[in-house]
Amino acid sequence: MLNRTILMGRLVADPELKTTASGVSVTSFRIAVDRNYVKSGEERKADFIDIVCWRQTAEFVCRYFGKGSLIAVEGQLQSRTYQAKDGTNRYVVEVVADNVSFTGERREAGSYNQSYNSYNNAPAAPSFEPQPQPEPSYQSGANSDFQEVPLDDDDLPF
C-alpha cells in the first residue's frame, strides 16, 4: 500500500514551535493550495491543508518559513479523532511531513540567504559559496543544439 502526499502552497500563518512533555519539537500549520482549474466567471479557489512536522523538521520550518512563504511538503496523510475541550469528538485529516523544501522563492533583502533548499530529517549547513553553473544541456530544443544526421540508408544508427 502507498500513502504519500506531495503539496506546494503558501503558509496562511506563521508556524509556532511547541515542545511535547517528553521534549520533542512539533509544529502544525496550514497551507493554501490553489486548485488547477477555474470555472468561467468564478475566482480561483484554494484548499486549506493542515500540516504537522516533528523534531528537526519542525525546527527547520519555524526558523525559515513565515506567513505567505511558498513551501513544498512531502509526507503521509493521517486521520485521527480527539475530544475537544467542549466534550465534542473531532475528526482531523492532516499531512505528517517528513520532507519540506524551499521552492526557489527569495525572501526580502536582508533576510537569510536560502542557499540550501530542503530538509529531510538530516541537517545540512547553509553554504554561502557561489554554486557552480550546470553544464549546458540540449533541453532548449533550439536547432543549434542538434547535429544533422545523414540520410544514407546503410549508415543509420538504429
Side-chain angles (χ1 to χ4, degrees):
M1 293 193 212
L2 181 65
N3 181 358
R4 295 305 295 165
T5 303
I6 301 172
L7 300 166
M8 185 167 63
R10 292 195 181 275
L11 275 74
V12 298
D14 288 332
E16 287 185 43
L17 187 64
K18 296 180 182 177
T19 305
T20 65
S22 59
V24 177
S25 299
V26 63
T27 188
S28 59
F29 54 93
R30 183 172 286 173
I31 63 172
V33 179
D34 286 337
R35 293 187 181 172
N36 287 336
Y37 62 92
V38 179
K39 290 183 181 177
S40 61
E42 291 185 10
E43 290 186 27
R44 179 174 293 277
K45 293 184 179 180
D47 294 303
F48 295 87
I49 313 293
D50 293 323
I51 312 292
V52 177
C53 298
W54 293 90
R55 297 174 183 77
Q56 293 92 352
T57 306
E59 294 168 7
F60 175 76
V61 167
C62 290
R63 184 171 181 182
Y64 296 112
F65 292 91
K67 180 179 180 178
S69 296
L70 196 56
I71 188 171
V73 176
E74 181 181 358
Q76 298 178 22
L77 198 59
Q78 169 183 288
S79 61
R80 61 184 173 89
T81 58
Y82 68 95
Q83 192 169 41
K85 291 179 182 178
D86 63 2
T88 59
N89 289 330
R90 302 283 172 98
Y91 178 76
V92 177
V93 176
E94 58 199 0
V95 174
V96 179
D98 48 61
N99 188 7
V100 297
S101 301
F102 294 108
T103 58
E105 181 181 72
R106 297 277 184 212
R107 286 191 172 183
E108 300 84 35
S111 293
Y112 171 76
N113 179 359
Q114 300 171 4
S115 56
Y116 64 98
N117 68 356
S118 73
Y119 188 84
N120 186 13
N121 291 333
S127 169
F128 296 100
E129 304 272 329
Q131 299 295 324
Q133 295 298 320
E135 301 249 345
S137 69
Y138 299 108
Q139 294 180 1
S140 70
N143 287 339
S144 62
D145 288 345
F146 299 96
Q147 179 180 357
E148 201 55 47
V149 177
L151 293 177
D152 296 338
D153 290 335
D154 297 341
D155 295 335
L156 289 178
F158 48 90

PDB file of all heavy atoms in Angstrom, residues 132-153:
ATOM      1  N   PRO A 132      28.354  26.331  -8.583  1.00  0.00           N
ATOM      2  CA  PRO A 132      28.817  26.251  -9.963  1.00  0.00           C
ATOM      3  C   PRO A 132      27.639  26.141 -10.924  1.00  0.00           C
ATOM      4  O   PRO A 132      26.612  25.555 -10.594  1.00  0.00           O
ATOM      5  CB  PRO A 132      29.667  24.972  -9.992  1.00  0.00           C
ATOM      6  CG  PRO A 132      29.209  24.185  -8.815  1.00  0.00           C
ATOM      7  CD  PRO A 132      28.716  25.170  -7.796  1.00  0.00           C
ATOM      8  N   GLN A 133      27.793  26.746 -12.078  1.00  0.00           N
ATOM      9  CA  GLN A 133      26.741  26.711 -13.084  1.00  0.00           C
ATOM     10  C   GLN A 133      26.731  25.341 -13.753  1.00  0.00           C
ATOM     11  O   GLN A 133      27.784  24.780 -14.034  1.00  0.00           O
ATOM     12  CB  GLN A 133      26.974  27.805 -14.141  1.00  0.00           C
ATOM     13  CG  GLN A 133      26.856  29.204 -13.585  1.00  0.00           C
ATOM     14  CD  GLN A 133      25.464  29.483 -13.055  1.00  0.00           C
ATOM     15  OE1 GLN A 133      24.483  29.081 -13.646  1.00  0.00           O
ATOM     16  NE2 GLN A 133      25.387  30.169 -11.924  1.00  0.00           N
ATOM     17  N   PRO A 134      25.543  24.795 -14.021  1.00  0.00           N
ATOM     18  CA  PRO A 134      25.485  23.493 -14.674  1.00  0.00           C
ATOM     19  C   PRO A 134      25.969  23.572 -16.113  1.00  0.00           C
ATOM     20  O   PRO A 134      25.920  24.621 -16.743  1.00  0.00           O
ATOM     21  CB  PRO A 134      24.001  23.137 -14.618  1.00  0.00           C
ATOM     22  CG  PRO A 134      23.299  24.440 -14.462  1.00  0.00           C
ATOM     23  CD  PRO A 134      24.242  25.349 -13.736  1.00  0.00           C
ATOM     24  N   GLU A 135      26.448  22.434 -16.604  1.00  0.00           N
ATOM     25  CA  GLU A 135      26.890  22.361 -17.995  1.00  0.00           C
ATOM     26  C   GLU A 135      25.703  22.612 -18.913  1.00  0.00           C
ATOM     27  O   GLU A 135      24.578  22.275 -18.568  1.00  0.00           O
ATOM     28  CB  GLU A 135      27.465  20.965 -18.266  1.00  0.00           C
ATOM     29  CG  GLU A 135      28.620  20.620 -17.365  1.00  0.00           C
ATOM     30  CD  GLU A 135      29.917  20.565 -18.120  1.00  0.00           C
ATOM     31  OE1 GLU A 135      29.895  20.511 -19.340  1.00  0.00           O
ATOM     32  OE2 GLU A 135      30.960  20.582 -17.455  1.00  0.00           O
ATOM     33  N   PRO A 136      25.917  23.186 -20.085  1.00  0.00           N
ATOM     34  CA  PRO A 136      24.801  23.416 -20.996  1.00  0.00           C
ATOM     35  C   PRO A 136      24.162  22.087 -21.382  1.00  0.00           C
ATOM     36  O   PRO A 136      24.843  21.079 -21.530  1.00  0.00           O
ATOM     37  CB  PRO A 136      25.435  24.099 -22.206  1.00  0.00           C
ATOM     38  CG  PRO A 136      26.891  24.164 -21.954  1.00  0.00           C
ATOM     39  CD  PRO A 136      27.175  23.653 -20.592  1.00  0.00           C
ATOM     40  N   SER A 137      22.848  22.095 -21.539  1.00  0.00           N
ATOM     41  CA  SER A 137      22.152  20.868 -21.919  1.00  0.00           C
ATOM     42  C   SER A 137      21.435  21.087 -23.247  1.00  0.00           C
ATOM     43  O   SER A 137      21.362  22.186 -23.751  1.00  0.00           O
ATOM     44  CB  SER A 137      21.152  20.471 -20.843  1.00  0.00           C
ATOM     45  OG  SER A 137      20.089  21.390 -20.822  1.00  0.00           O
ATOM     46  N   TYR A 138      20.886  20.028 -23.751  1.00  0.00           N
ATOM     47  CA  TYR A 138      20.195  20.078 -25.033  1.00  0.00           C
ATOM     48  C   TYR A 138      18.689  20.146 -24.843  1.00  0.00           C
ATOM     49  O   TYR A 138      17.932  19.708 -25.673  1.00  0.00           O
ATOM     50  CB  TYR A 138      20.576  18.853 -25.877  1.00  0.00           C
ATOM     51  CG  TYR A 138      22.053  18.806 -26.167  1.00  0.00           C
ATOM     52  CD1 TYR A 138      22.873  17.877 -25.553  1.00  0.00           C
ATOM     53  CD2 TYR A 138      22.634  19.724 -27.030  1.00  0.00           C
ATOM     54  CE1 TYR A 138      24.230  17.850 -25.797  1.00  0.00           C
ATOM     55  CE2 TYR A 138      23.981  19.703 -27.275  1.00  0.00           C
ATOM     56  CZ  TYR A 138      24.778  18.770 -26.663  1.00  0.00           C
ATOM     57  OH  TYR A 138      26.119  18.748 -26.897  1.00  0.00           O
ATOM     58  N   GLN A 139      18.256  20.732 -23.764  1.00  0.00           N
ATOM     59  CA  GLN A 139      16.840  20.764 -23.464  1.00  0.00           C
ATOM     60  C   GLN A 139      16.142  21.989 -24.026  1.00  0.00           C
ATOM     61  O   GLN A 139      14.935  22.083 -23.941  1.00  0.00           O
ATOM     62  CB  GLN A 139      16.622  20.708 -21.963  1.00  0.00           C
ATOM     63  CG  GLN A 139      17.077  19.390 -21.377  1.00  0.00           C
ATOM     64  CD  GLN A 139      16.862  19.337 -19.880  1.00  0.00           C
ATOM     65  OE1 GLN A 139      16.369  20.278 -19.296  1.00  0.00           O
ATOM     66  NE2 GLN A 139      17.227  18.232 -19.278  1.00  0.00           N
ATOM     67  N   SER A 140      16.872  22.920 -24.597  1.00  0.00           N
ATOM     68  CA  SER A 140      16.221  24.117 -25.113  1.00  0.00           C
ATOM     69  C   SER A 140      15.448  23.823 -26.383  1.00  0.00           C
ATOM     70  O   SER A 140      14.494  24.513 -26.709  1.00  0.00           O
ATOM     71  CB  SER A 140      17.249  25.220 -25.382  1.00  0.00           C
ATOM     72  OG  SER A 140      18.061  24.865 -26.490  1.00  0.00           O
ATOM     73  N   GLY A 141      15.848  22.805 -27.122  1.00  0.00           N
ATOM     74  CA  GLY A 141      15.138  22.443 -28.339  1.00  0.00           C
ATOM     75  C   GLY A 141      15.510  23.313 -29.532  1.00  0.00           C
ATOM     76  O   GLY A 141      14.890  23.216 -30.587  1.00  0.00           O
ATOM     77  N   ALA A 142      16.511  24.157 -29.382  1.00  0.00           N
ATOM     78  CA  ALA A 142      16.921  25.018 -30.486  1.00  0.00           C
ATOM     79  C   ALA A 142      17.635  24.174 -31.547  1.00  0.00           C
ATOM     80  O   ALA A 142      18.274  23.168 -31.237  1.00  0.00           O
ATOM     81  CB  ALA A 142      17.852  26.126 -29.989  1.00  0.00           C
ATOM     82  N   ASN A 143      17.516  24.566 -32.801  1.00  0.00           N
ATOM     83  CA  ASN A 143      18.151  23.828 -33.889  1.00  0.00           C
ATOM     84  C   ASN A 143      19.661  23.763 -33.731  1.00  0.00           C
ATOM     85  O   ASN A 143      20.292  22.800 -34.162  1.00  0.00           O
ATOM     86  CB  ASN A 143      17.800  24.448 -35.236  1.00  0.00           C
ATOM     87  CG  ASN A 143      16.355  24.168 -35.623  1.00  0.00           C
ATOM     88  OD1 ASN A 143      15.754  23.226 -35.115  1.00  0.00           O
ATOM     89  ND2 ASN A 143      15.805  24.993 -36.489  1.00  0.00           N
ATOM     90  N   SER A 144      20.266  24.768 -33.109  1.00  0.00           N
ATOM     91  CA  SER A 144      21.719  24.768 -32.942  1.00  0.00           C
ATOM     92  C   SER A 144      22.178  23.713 -31.938  1.00  0.00           C
ATOM     93  O   SER A 144      23.352  23.416 -31.848  1.00  0.00           O
ATOM     94  CB  SER A 144      22.189  26.152 -32.496  1.00  0.00           C
ATOM     95  OG  SER A 144      21.615  26.468 -31.242  1.00  0.00           O
ATOM     96  N   ASP A 145      21.242  23.140 -31.168  1.00  0.00           N
ATOM     97  CA  ASP A 145      21.588  22.107 -30.193  1.00  0.00           C
ATOM     98  C   ASP A 145      21.810  20.737 -30.828  1.00  0.00           C
ATOM     99  O   ASP A 145      22.324  19.840 -30.183  1.00  0.00           O
ATOM    100  CB  ASP A 145      20.469  21.945 -29.153  1.00  0.00           C
ATOM    101  CG  ASP A 145      20.408  23.131 -28.204  1.00  0.00           C
ATOM    102  OD1 ASP A 145      21.381  23.903 -28.161  1.00  0.00           O
ATOM    103  OD2 ASP A 145      19.387  23.268 -27.527  1.00  0.00           O
ATOM    104  N   PHE A 146      21.397  20.566 -32.084  1.00  0.00           N
ATOM    105  CA  PHE A 146      21.420  19.247 -32.699  1.00  0.00           C
ATOM    106  C   PHE A 146      22.319  19.224 -33.919  1.00  0.00           C
ATOM    107  O   PHE A 146      22.558  20.227 -34.566  1.00  0.00           O
ATOM    108  CB  PHE A 146      19.994  18.834 -33.101  1.00  0.00           C
ATOM    109  CG  PHE A 146      19.061  18.763 -31.922  1.00  0.00           C
ATOM    110  CD1 PHE A 146      18.246  19.837 -31.596  1.00  0.00           C
ATOM    111  CD2 PHE A 146      19.034  17.646 -31.114  1.00  0.00           C
ATOM    112  CE1 PHE A 146      17.411  19.779 -30.505  1.00  0.00           C
ATOM    113  CE2 PHE A 146      18.193  17.580 -30.018  1.00  0.00           C
ATOM    114  CZ  PHE A 146      17.377  18.654 -29.711  1.00  0.00           C
ATOM    115  N   GLN A 147      22.775  18.027 -34.208  1.00  0.00           N
ATOM    116  CA  GLN A 147      23.642  17.826 -35.357  1.00  0.00           C
ATOM    117  C   GLN A 147      22.824  17.148 -36.458  1.00  0.00           C
ATOM    118  O   GLN A 147      22.005  16.276 -36.185  1.00  0.00           O
ATOM    119  CB  GLN A 147      24.815  16.939 -34.949  1.00  0.00           C
ATOM    120  CG  GLN A 147      25.779  16.643 -36.056  1.00  0.00           C
ATOM    121  CD  GLN A 147      26.906  15.747 -35.553  1.00  0.00           C
ATOM    122  OE1 GLN A 147      26.982  15.402 -34.389  1.00  0.00           O
ATOM    123  NE2 GLN A 147      27.776  15.363 -36.468  1.00  0.00           N
ATOM    124  N   GLU A 148      23.062  17.522 -37.676  1.00  0.00           N
ATOM    125  CA  GLU A 148      22.369  16.944 -38.823  1.00  0.00           C
ATOM    126  C   GLU A 148      22.823  15.499 -39.031  1.00  0.00           C
ATOM    127  O   GLU A 148      24.006  15.193 -38.975  1.00  0.00           O
ATOM    128  CB  GLU A 148      22.712  17.788 -40.066  1.00  0.00           C
ATOM    129  CG  GLU A 148      21.785  17.720 -41.234  1.00  0.00           C
ATOM    130  CD  GLU A 148      20.333  18.043 -40.936  1.00  0.00           C
ATOM    131  OE1 GLU A 148      20.033  19.041 -40.264  1.00  0.00           O
ATOM    132  OE2 GLU A 148      19.511  17.269 -41.413  1.00  0.00           O
ATOM    133  N   VAL A 149      21.881  14.569 -39.185  1.00  0.00           N
ATOM    134  CA  VAL A 149      22.184  13.157 -39.403  1.00  0.00           C
ATOM    135  C   VAL A 149      22.035  12.869 -40.890  1.00  0.00           C
ATOM    136  O   VAL A 149      20.997  13.153 -41.481  1.00  0.00           O
ATOM    137  CB  VAL A 149      21.224  12.256 -38.596  1.00  0.00           C
ATOM    138  CG1 VAL A 149      21.489  10.788 -38.882  1.00  0.00           C
ATOM    139  CG2 VAL A 149      21.345  12.544 -37.111  1.00  0.00           C
ATOM    140  N   PRO A 150      23.082  12.295 -41.523  1.00  0.00           N
ATOM    141  CA  PRO A 150      22.968  11.983 -42.953  1.00  0.00           C
ATOM    142  C   PRO A 150      21.912  10.901 -43.164  1.00  0.00           C
ATOM    143  O   PRO A 150      21.704  10.029 -42.324  1.00  0.00           O
ATOM    144  CB  PRO A 150      24.359  11.484 -43.342  1.00  0.00           C
ATOM    145  CG  PRO A 150      25.084  11.234 -42.068  1.00  0.00           C
ATOM    146  CD  PRO A 150      24.374  11.956 -40.974  1.00  0.00           C
ATOM    147  N   LEU A 151      21.225  10.952 -44.282  1.00  0.00           N
ATOM    148  CA  LEU A 151      20.126  10.039 -44.554  1.00  0.00           C
ATOM    149  C   LEU A 151      20.526   8.847 -45.415  1.00  0.00           C
ATOM    150  O   LEU A 151      19.709   8.304 -46.152  1.00  0.00           O
ATOM    151  CB  LEU A 151      18.984  10.800 -45.230  1.00  0.00           C
ATOM    152  CG  LEU A 151      18.296  11.845 -44.354  1.00  0.00           C
ATOM    153  CD1 LEU A 151      17.242  12.583 -45.133  1.00  0.00           C
ATOM    154  CD2 LEU A 151      17.692  11.204 -43.123  1.00  0.00           C
ATOM    155  N   ASP A 152      21.751   8.390 -45.331  1.00  0.00           N
ATOM    156  CA  ASP A 152      22.169   7.189 -46.051  1.00  0.00           C
ATOM    157  C   ASP A 152      21.494   5.991 -45.395  1.00  0.00           C
ATOM    158  O   ASP A 152      21.592   5.809 -44.177  1.00  0.00           O
ATOM    159  CB  ASP A 152      23.698   7.015 -45.993  1.00  0.00           C
ATOM    160  CG  ASP A 152      24.412   8.150 -46.715  1.00  0.00           C
ATOM    161  OD1 ASP A 152      23.778   8.793 -47.569  1.00  0.00           O
ATOM    162  OD2 ASP A 152      25.588   8.378 -46.389  1.00  0.00           O
ATOM    163  N   ASP A 153      20.798   5.191 -46.151  1.00  0.00           N
ATOM    164  CA  ASP A 153      20.060   4.048 -45.606  1.00  0.00           C
ATOM    165  C   ASP A 153      20.971   3.029 -44.921  1.00  0.00           C
ATOM    166  O   ASP A 153      20.555   2.352 -43.995  1.00  0.00           O
ATOM    167  CB  ASP A 153      19.258   3.354 -46.694  1.00  0.00           C
ATOM    168  CG  ASP A 153      18.089   4.207 -47.176  1.00  0.00           C
ATOM    169  OD1 ASP A 153      17.634   5.054 -46.381  1.00  0.00           O
ATOM    170  OD2 ASP A 153      17.657   4.030 -48.319  1.00  0.00           O
TER     171      ASP A 153
END
